[in-house]
Amino acid sequence: MERLNTPMDKSARTKEYLVLTILLLSSILLFMILMENTEEPKAEPIRITLDTWPGYAYAYVAQEKGFFQKNGADVELILNRDSEASKDLFKEEKAQGMFTTLSDAIMMESEGVEQSTVFIVDYSTDGDVIMCRQEINSLTELENKTIGIEGINTFSHRFVIETLARAGVKEQDIFLEKVKAHDTLEALEIGNIDAGHTREPTKSLAIKRGYKILARAGDNPWLITDVLIFDKKTLNEKSNQITAIIKSLEQVRQYTIQNREEAIRIMAESESLSNEAMAKGIDGLRWTSLYENAQMMNSKEGALDRLIREISKFWADRGQLSKMPTRRDIIDQRFVMDAGAQNRQVGR
């Protein structure tokens, strides 16, 4: 005879189903929590620090117009008022990349800061100048005078000393005062200095107040050469993004030529300059193309090698370098070559 289910059997079975359901739901919830906690954290952007210099500002056009993103680079730009603040951020590893001068990059390499130059950004022509009081008419008149520089053993220091040396004025015959480029006008006004290194927008403001230009960086082309550097860890771990950044800078350089007014607006707003000051700043420099980078970096013995030797000799003569670096010590050319190859593949 078949056994019939009793009310007790139905109740037990219902409880069993309920327990199984609760266990199943708990397992699903636990699995979801574990999956959420084991997801890889979102990758940090590559932070690039830069100071207020028109030659660097086109990076903001690359950011606003989406060039970085389209090429596969996640970039955060950090603006500083002066180059010393940018160097501090980079040395403290709060930024992985930096727009700086080749002169400062070589000095940092000698200090043990592990980094490489991946792109030659520009060189200054009328962008960097030595401003002086109205009564001074020549560089030779700066003997026994006080001159402002951004800091000892900086590109600013080298610019002033080498410019004066070409006029026959020795460093021991002048006095140097540490003055940030954008504070040069104020230092001239209160009489702390007789002349000083500066750039836009301070250059134009100083001219309007009666001060004059005594020398320009373009008097010795490539004397002030700007570059983009990254730390070695980032170069090894995010090589594809570094190539993407270089591609973006070349694309935005071409965009700026074709869309000057729009590019100037973006750059001026980004660095808190007037459109006029930004336009004058751009006219005072010469951007270096991706093709020119490839030519310079791929040359067995060319302008880049001579430039590195000249800068290194200046620091070595001053006792700042223990050894003379080579191009291989300073430059990592693989990213320029990769970016150039990718551009050729798409017909650019």
Side-chain angles (χ1 to χ4, degrees), residues 107-172:
M107 178 57 71
M108 284 193 292
E109 195 273 341
S110 74
E111 295 169 346
V113 180
E114 294 192 349
Q115 43 80 30
S116 286
T117 293
V118 300
F119 194 69
I120 301 164
V121 177
D122 65 57
Y123 66 85
S124 181
T125 54
D126 290 338
D128 291 89
V129 299
I130 298 176
M131 301 292 304
C132 67
R133 292 187 285 105
Q134 188 65 38
E135 63 270 23
I136 297 173
N137 296 304
S138 69
L139 289 168
T140 55
E141 293 179 37
L142 290 180
E143 285 190 0
N144 300 314
K145 299 291 194 300
T146 302
I147 306 171
I149 59 172
E150 293 235 46
I152 297 297
N153 296 333
T154 63
F155 81 96
S156 174
H157 186 187
R158 176 172 170 260
F159 168 49
V160 168
I161 296 306
E162 291 212 346
T163 299
L164 289 173
R166 283 175 169 77
V169 179
K170 298 178 181 179
E171 185 172 1
Q172 58 263 36

Side-chain angles (χ1 to χ4, degrees), residues 46-50 56 86-87 89-91 95-109 113-121 225-232 234-235 242 245-246 249 297 329-332 335:
I46 296 177
R47 295 182 176 88
I48 303 175
T49 182
L50 65 163
Y56 306 154
S86 286
K87 281 192 283 189
L89 278 180
F90 187 77
K91 290 177 180 179
Q96 295 77 49
M98 177 171 66
F99 285 95
T100 186
T101 64
L102 182 59
S103 183
D104 283 354
I106 290 174
M107 178 57 71
M108 284 193 292
E109 195 273 341
V113 180
E114 294 192 349
Q115 43 80 30
S116 286
T117 293
V118 300
F119 194 69
I120 301 164
V121 177
T225 300
D226 293 300
V227 297
L228 176 60
I229 68 172
F230 288 95
D231 64 58
K232 294 293 180 66
T234 302
L235 293 178
I242 303 303
I245 289 169
I246 291 173
L249 293 179
M297 291 184 181
D329 297 321
I330 305 299
I331 306 292
D332 192 335
F335 306 100

Side-chain angles (χ1 to χ4, degrees), residues 292-307:
E292 289 172 311
N293 267 266
Q295 291 292 101
M296 293 175 71
M297 291 184 181
N298 205 32
S299 171
K300 289 183 178 179
E301 178 66 23
L304 185 56
D305 298 271
R306 290 194 296 273
L307 186 58

Side-chain angles (χ1 to χ4, degrees), residues 3-282:
R3 184 174 179 272
L4 297 175
N5 289 332
T6 63
M8 181 73 69
D9 294 327
K10 291 180 180 179
S11 176
R13 189 168 292 175
T14 300
K15 288 180 179 179
E16 184 179 341
Y17 288 154
L18 182 59
V19 170
L20 289 172
T21 302
I22 291 172
L23 288 172
L24 179 60
L25 291 174
S26 299
S27 298
I28 293 171
L29 180 61
L30 180 61
F31 177 76
M32 292 174 65
I33 291 172
L34 289 172
M35 286 298 293
E36 183 177 350
N37 290 337
T38 56
E39 284 182 2
E40 291 186 8
K42 185 180 179 182
E44 292 288 327
I46 296 177
R47 295 182 176 88
I48 303 175
T49 182
L50 65 163
D51 55 278
T52 307
W53 164 246
Y56 306 154
Y58 73 156
Y60 283 102
V61 182
Q63 187 178 62
E64 181 162 325
K65 291 299 180 180
F67 288 105
F68 288 141
Q69 185 177 11
K70 289 174 185 175
N71 287 314
D74 185 8
V75 174
E76 178 185 340
L77 299 174
I78 305 173
L79 181 66
N80 297 286
R81 188 169 183 266
D82 61 83
S83 59
E84 292 303 297
S86 286
K87 281 192 283 189
D88 288 342
L89 278 180
F90 187 77
K91 290 177 180 179
E92 293 166 6
E93 299 182 359
K94 294 178 181 176
Q96 295 77 49
M98 177 171 66
F99 285 95
T100 186
T101 64
L102 182 59
S103 183
D104 283 354
I106 290 174
M107 178 57 71
M108 284 193 292
E109 195 273 341
S110 74
E111 295 169 346
V113 180
E114 294 192 349
Q115 43 80 30
S116 286
T117 293
V118 300
F119 194 69
I120 301 164
V121 177
D122 65 57
Y123 66 85
S124 181
T125 54
D126 290 338
D128 291 89
V129 299
I130 298 176
M131 301 292 304
C132 67
R133 292 187 285 105
Q134 188 65 38
E135 63 270 23
I136 297 173
N137 296 304
S138 69
L139 289 168
T140 55
E141 293 179 37
L142 290 180
E143 285 190 0
N144 300 314
K145 299 291 194 300
T146 302
I147 306 171
I149 59 172
E150 293 235 46
I152 297 297
N153 296 333
T154 63
F155 81 96
S156 174
H157 186 187
R158 176 172 170 260
F159 168 49
V160 168
I161 296 306
E162 291 212 346
T163 299
L164 289 173
R166 283 175 169 77
V169 179
K170 298 178 181 179
E171 185 172 1
Q172 58 263 36
D173 295 330
I174 61 171
F175 301 96
L176 295 173
E177 184 76 20
K178 185 176 179 180
V179 179
K180 296 185 187 303
H182 297 304
D183 294 334
T184 297
L185 176 57
E186 181 183 354
L188 284 167
E189 297 273 65
I190 62 179
N192 282 356
I193 60 174
D194 301 290
H197 165 221
T198 192
R199 54 185 182 269
E200 294 292 354
T202 307
K203 181 180 81 170
S204 291
L205 291 173
I207 291 172
K208 289 178 181 178
R209 296 193 189 179
Y211 299 95
K212 61 186 181 182
I213 296 173
L214 199 57
R216 296 172 169 82
D219 297 339
N220 180 18
W222 299 98
L223 178 59
I224 300 181
T225 300
D226 293 300
V227 297
L228 176 60
I229 68 172
F230 288 95
D231 64 58
K232 294 293 180 66
K233 181 181 178 181
T234 302
L235 293 178
N236 292 327
E237 294 181 356
K238 298 186 177 182
S239 58
N240 290 340
Q241 290 200 57
I242 303 303
T243 299
I245 289 169
I246 291 173
K247 281 180 62 179
S248 300
L249 293 179
E250 172 61 14
Q251 290 166 4
V252 80
R253 184 188 68 84
Q254 295 173 5
Y255 176 89
T256 300
I257 293 171
Q258 298 165 4
N259 303 273
R260 180 180 168 89
E261 290 186 8
E262 172 67 2
I264 286 174
R265 179 193 65 77
I266 294 170
M267 291 188 284
E269 289 178 359
S270 299
E271 294 199 350
S272 299
L273 299 179
S274 67
N275 287 5
E276 179 186 8
M278 181 57 70
K280 288 181 178 179
I282 291 173

